Short mmCIF file of all heavy atoms in Angstrom, two decimals:
data_model
loop_
_atom_site.label_atom_id
_atom_site.label_comp_id
_atom_site.label_asym_id
_atom_site.label_seq_id
_atom_site.Cartn_x
_atom_site.Cartn_y
_atom_site.Cartn_z
N GLY G 1 -96.72 -159.80 -43.16
CA GLY G 1 -95.93 -159.45 -44.34
C GLY G 1 -94.96 -160.54 -44.73
O GLY G 1 -95.13 -161.71 -44.45
N ASN G 2 -93.89 -160.10 -45.41
CA ASN G 2 -92.82 -161.03 -45.71
C ASN G 2 -91.49 -160.35 -45.42
O ASN G 2 -91.45 -159.24 -44.94
CB ASN G 2 -92.91 -161.52 -47.15
CG ASN G 2 -93.00 -160.36 -48.13
OD1 ASN G 2 -92.52 -159.27 -47.87
ND2 ASN G 2 -93.63 -160.62 -49.25
N SER G 3 -90.39 -161.04 -45.71
CA SER G 3 -89.11 -160.62 -45.17
C SER G 3 -88.26 -159.86 -46.18
O SER G 3 -88.60 -159.74 -47.35
CB SER G 3 -88.34 -161.85 -44.67
OG SER G 3 -88.12 -162.74 -45.75
N LEU G 4 -87.16 -159.34 -45.72
CA LEU G 4 -86.06 -158.78 -46.48
C LEU G 4 -86.25 -157.33 -46.91
O LEU G 4 -85.29 -156.69 -47.32
CB LEU G 4 -85.74 -159.64 -47.71
CG LEU G 4 -85.33 -161.09 -47.41
CD1 LEU G 4 -85.04 -161.82 -48.71
CD2 LEU G 4 -84.13 -161.14 -46.48
N ASP G 5 -87.45 -156.77 -46.82
CA ASP G 5 -87.59 -155.37 -47.18
C ASP G 5 -87.68 -154.48 -45.94
O ASP G 5 -88.05 -153.31 -46.03
CB ASP G 5 -88.80 -155.15 -48.10
CG ASP G 5 -90.12 -155.59 -47.50
OD1 ASP G 5 -90.13 -156.11 -46.37
OD2 ASP G 5 -91.15 -155.41 -48.16
N ASN G 6 -87.32 -155.01 -44.78
CA ASN G 6 -87.26 -154.25 -43.55
C ASN G 6 -85.82 -153.84 -43.25
O ASN G 6 -84.88 -154.36 -43.85
CB ASN G 6 -87.80 -155.07 -42.38
CG ASN G 6 -89.17 -155.65 -42.68
OD1 ASN G 6 -90.17 -154.94 -42.67
ND2 ASN G 6 -89.22 -156.94 -42.96
N VAL G 7 -85.65 -152.92 -42.31
CA VAL G 7 -84.33 -152.53 -41.83
C VAL G 7 -84.39 -152.56 -40.30
O VAL G 7 -85.32 -152.00 -39.70
CB VAL G 7 -83.93 -151.12 -42.29
CG1 VAL G 7 -82.58 -150.72 -41.71
CG2 VAL G 7 -83.90 -151.05 -43.81
N THR G 8 -83.40 -153.19 -39.67
CA THR G 8 -83.33 -153.24 -38.21
C THR G 8 -82.11 -152.48 -37.73
O THR G 8 -81.01 -152.64 -38.27
CB THR G 8 -83.26 -154.70 -37.72
OG1 THR G 8 -84.47 -155.38 -38.07
CG2 THR G 8 -83.09 -154.75 -36.20
N LEU G 9 -82.31 -151.65 -36.70
CA LEU G 9 -81.22 -150.91 -36.07
C LEU G 9 -80.91 -151.54 -34.72
O LEU G 9 -81.81 -151.70 -33.89
CB LEU G 9 -81.61 -149.44 -35.87
CG LEU G 9 -82.02 -148.66 -37.12
CD1 LEU G 9 -82.40 -147.23 -36.73
CD2 LEU G 9 -80.92 -148.66 -38.16
N ILE G 10 -79.65 -151.92 -34.51
CA ILE G 10 -79.25 -152.48 -33.22
C ILE G 10 -78.17 -151.60 -32.62
O ILE G 10 -77.54 -150.79 -33.30
CB ILE G 10 -78.76 -153.94 -33.34
CG1 ILE G 10 -77.52 -154.03 -34.26
CG2 ILE G 10 -79.87 -154.85 -33.84
CD1 ILE G 10 -76.88 -155.42 -34.30
N GLY G 11 -77.95 -151.77 -31.32
CA GLY G 11 -76.93 -150.99 -30.65
C GLY G 11 -77.22 -150.86 -29.17
O GLY G 11 -78.26 -151.28 -28.67
N MET G 12 -76.30 -150.24 -28.47
CA MET G 12 -76.38 -150.08 -27.03
C MET G 12 -77.50 -149.13 -26.62
O MET G 12 -77.96 -148.30 -27.41
CB MET G 12 -75.04 -149.54 -26.52
CG MET G 12 -73.94 -150.56 -26.46
SD MET G 12 -74.16 -151.72 -25.07
CE MET G 12 -73.83 -150.65 -23.65
N PRO G 13 -77.94 -149.21 -25.35
CA PRO G 13 -78.84 -148.18 -24.83
C PRO G 13 -78.20 -146.81 -24.99
O PRO G 13 -77.02 -146.64 -24.73
CB PRO G 13 -78.98 -148.55 -23.34
CG PRO G 13 -78.61 -149.99 -23.27
CD PRO G 13 -77.58 -150.22 -24.33
N GLY G 14 -78.99 -145.85 -25.46
CA GLY G 14 -78.46 -144.52 -25.67
C GLY G 14 -77.86 -144.29 -27.04
O GLY G 14 -77.39 -143.19 -27.34
N SER G 15 -77.88 -145.30 -27.91
CA SER G 15 -77.29 -145.15 -29.24
C SER G 15 -78.21 -144.43 -30.21
O SER G 15 -77.78 -144.07 -31.32
CB SER G 15 -76.89 -146.51 -29.82
OG SER G 15 -78.02 -147.36 -29.95
N GLY G 16 -79.47 -144.21 -29.82
CA GLY G 16 -80.39 -143.46 -30.67
C GLY G 16 -81.21 -144.29 -31.62
O GLY G 16 -81.72 -143.77 -32.62
N LYS G 17 -81.39 -145.57 -31.31
CA LYS G 17 -82.10 -146.46 -32.24
C LYS G 17 -83.52 -145.99 -32.54
O LYS G 17 -83.96 -146.01 -33.69
CB LYS G 17 -82.13 -147.89 -31.67
CG LYS G 17 -80.75 -148.52 -31.50
CD LYS G 17 -80.86 -149.95 -31.02
CE LYS G 17 -81.43 -150.09 -29.62
NZ LYS G 17 -80.54 -149.52 -28.57
N SER G 18 -84.24 -145.58 -31.51
CA SER G 18 -85.63 -145.17 -31.71
C SER G 18 -85.72 -143.89 -32.53
O SER G 18 -86.50 -143.79 -33.49
CB SER G 18 -86.34 -144.98 -30.37
OG SER G 18 -86.56 -146.22 -29.74
N THR G 19 -84.94 -142.88 -32.15
CA THR G 19 -85.01 -141.60 -32.86
C THR G 19 -84.50 -141.73 -34.28
O THR G 19 -85.14 -141.25 -35.24
CB THR G 19 -84.21 -140.52 -32.11
OG1 THR G 19 -84.69 -140.45 -30.76
CG2 THR G 19 -84.37 -139.17 -32.77
N VAL G 20 -83.36 -142.38 -34.45
CA VAL G 20 -82.84 -142.60 -35.81
C VAL G 20 -83.81 -143.46 -36.61
O VAL G 20 -84.01 -143.24 -37.80
CB VAL G 20 -81.44 -143.25 -35.75
CG1 VAL G 20 -80.96 -143.64 -37.15
CG2 VAL G 20 -80.44 -142.31 -35.10
N GLY G 21 -84.44 -144.43 -35.94
CA GLY G 21 -85.40 -145.28 -36.63
C GLY G 21 -86.58 -144.51 -37.19
O GLY G 21 -87.02 -144.75 -38.32
N VAL G 22 -87.13 -143.58 -36.40
CA VAL G 22 -88.23 -142.76 -36.88
C VAL G 22 -87.78 -141.91 -38.07
O VAL G 22 -88.48 -141.80 -39.09
CB VAL G 22 -88.78 -141.86 -35.75
CG1 VAL G 22 -89.74 -140.81 -36.29
CG2 VAL G 22 -89.48 -142.71 -34.69
N LEU G 23 -86.60 -141.30 -37.95
CA LEU G 23 -86.09 -140.45 -39.04
C LEU G 23 -85.83 -141.27 -40.31
O LEU G 23 -86.13 -140.82 -41.43
CB LEU G 23 -84.81 -139.75 -38.58
CG LEU G 23 -84.98 -138.75 -37.44
CD1 LEU G 23 -83.62 -138.31 -36.91
CD2 LEU G 23 -85.79 -137.55 -37.90
N LEU G 24 -85.27 -142.47 -40.14
CA LEU G 24 -85.02 -143.33 -41.29
C LEU G 24 -86.32 -143.78 -41.94
O LEU G 24 -86.44 -143.83 -43.17
CB LEU G 24 -84.19 -144.54 -40.86
CG LEU G 24 -83.80 -145.53 -41.96
CD1 LEU G 24 -82.91 -144.85 -43.01
CD2 LEU G 24 -83.06 -146.73 -41.35
N ALA G 25 -87.32 -144.09 -41.11
CA ALA G 25 -88.63 -144.49 -41.64
C ALA G 25 -89.24 -143.38 -42.49
O ALA G 25 -89.84 -143.62 -43.53
CB ALA G 25 -89.57 -144.87 -40.50
N LYS G 26 -89.07 -142.14 -42.05
CA LYS G 26 -89.58 -141.01 -42.84
C LYS G 26 -88.85 -140.89 -44.17
O LYS G 26 -89.46 -140.62 -45.21
CB LYS G 26 -89.44 -139.73 -42.03
CG LYS G 26 -90.39 -139.63 -40.84
CD LYS G 26 -90.18 -138.35 -40.07
CE LYS G 26 -91.15 -138.25 -38.91
NZ LYS G 26 -90.97 -137.01 -38.12
N LEU G 27 -87.53 -141.10 -44.14
CA LEU G 27 -86.76 -141.03 -45.39
C LEU G 27 -87.19 -142.11 -46.38
O LEU G 27 -87.19 -141.88 -47.59
CB LEU G 27 -85.27 -141.17 -45.08
CG LEU G 27 -84.59 -140.00 -44.36
CD1 LEU G 27 -83.16 -140.38 -43.98
CD2 LEU G 27 -84.59 -138.75 -45.22
N LEU G 28 -87.55 -143.27 -45.87
CA LEU G 28 -87.90 -144.41 -46.72
C LEU G 28 -89.39 -144.48 -47.04
O LEU G 28 -89.78 -145.24 -47.93
CB LEU G 28 -87.49 -145.72 -46.02
CG LEU G 28 -85.99 -145.99 -45.88
CD1 LEU G 28 -85.75 -147.17 -44.94
CD2 LEU G 28 -85.38 -146.28 -47.25
N GLY G 29 -90.22 -143.72 -46.32
CA GLY G 29 -91.66 -143.91 -46.45
C GLY G 29 -92.12 -145.21 -45.83
O GLY G 29 -93.07 -145.84 -46.30
N TYR G 30 -91.43 -145.61 -44.76
CA TYR G 30 -91.69 -146.88 -44.07
C TYR G 30 -92.50 -146.66 -42.79
O TYR G 30 -92.65 -145.54 -42.31
CB TYR G 30 -90.35 -147.53 -43.69
CG TYR G 30 -89.78 -148.50 -44.71
CD1 TYR G 30 -90.10 -148.42 -46.06
CD2 TYR G 30 -88.91 -149.50 -44.30
CE1 TYR G 30 -89.56 -149.31 -46.98
CE2 TYR G 30 -88.37 -150.40 -45.21
CZ TYR G 30 -88.70 -150.30 -46.54
OH TYR G 30 -88.18 -151.19 -47.44
#
């Protein structure tokens, strides 16, 4: 692909990056 239309979630272990990431992807259709 190409850049800039992605979103990256960073943070500590236990911050919920994976779960929030899945939920955000559903909201965006990503």
Side-chain angles (χ1 to χ4, degrees):
N2 53 28
S3 61
L4 300 180
D5 59 358
N6 307 285
V7 177
T8 296
L9 303 179
I10 61 173
M12 284 285 290
S15 61
K17 297 183 294 294
S18 289
T19 305
V20 173
V22 169
L23 295 170
L24 182 63
K26 289 179 178 179
L27 290 173
L28 291 169
Y30 268 25

